[in-house]
Amino acid sequence: MKDTDLCRNLEIEITLLDSWIAHRWLVPEERDGMRLFHDADLARARLIQDLIGPMGVNEDGVDVAMQLLDQIHGLRGRLGLLMQAIRRQDEEIQRRILALIDEE
């Protein structure tokens, strides 16, 4: 969706969206000189609204929250790759790995 659509969805001004982009809380896709946003961006923007609005989190707090969210997302991706690698192993190796995890 275009930035105007995102703003309409969120009921915010374009200047606020520009600020979020400047903080790198949102990183739109750039195509043909236009900023494009995906459903994940909309969800992220709604989280930013909740943090700033009802939760009363300041800019530094939003920075931390968004960085943590990005780290969690990255870790989930890495965990998915690890699970794929484990599934490619023979069953005995899979059992050993799972047994080691269960010991922890």
Side-chain angles (χ1 to χ4, degrees):
M1 75 184 76
K2 294 187 275 188
D3 52 6
T4 52
D5 298 325
L6 185 73
C7 288
R8 191 174 318 112
N9 253 304
L10 298 169
E11 299 179 359
I12 63 171
E13 298 293 324
I14 194 79
T15 54
L16 183 57
L17 178 60
D18 290 340
S19 172
W20 293 356
I21 293 169
H23 280 92
R24 302 203 45 83
W25 299 341
L26 291 175
V27 181
E29 177 184 342
E30 298 277 340
R31 192 181 318 152
D32 299 326
M34 290 177 38
R35 300 186 296 199
L36 298 176
F37 297 89
H38 303 280
D39 289 340
D41 297 313
L42 178 59
R44 191 174 171 101
R46 286 190 172 133
L47 173 61
I48 295 166
Q49 279 185 312
D50 288 344
L51 290 169
I52 293 171
M55 295 181 188
V57 177
N58 65 19
E59 285 185 2
D60 289 338
V62 175
D63 278 336
V64 170
M66 301 316 287
Q67 288 172 17
L68 289 172
L69 183 66
D70 292 340
Q71 286 178 13
I72 290 169
H73 181 73
L75 289 170
R76 287 184 68 192
R78 298 288 293 173
L79 184 58
L81 293 173
L82 177 60
M83 292 304 297
Q84 287 176 13
I86 291 170
R87 285 187 200 106
R88 285 190 213 119
Q89 304 305 311
D90 66 89
E91 287 184 29
E92 178 57 30
I93 293 175
Q94 289 182 36
R95 276 193 288 276
R96 283 182 183 170
I97 293 170
L98 294 174
L100 288 170
I101 291 170
D102 287 342
E103 288 176 9
E104 295 298 316

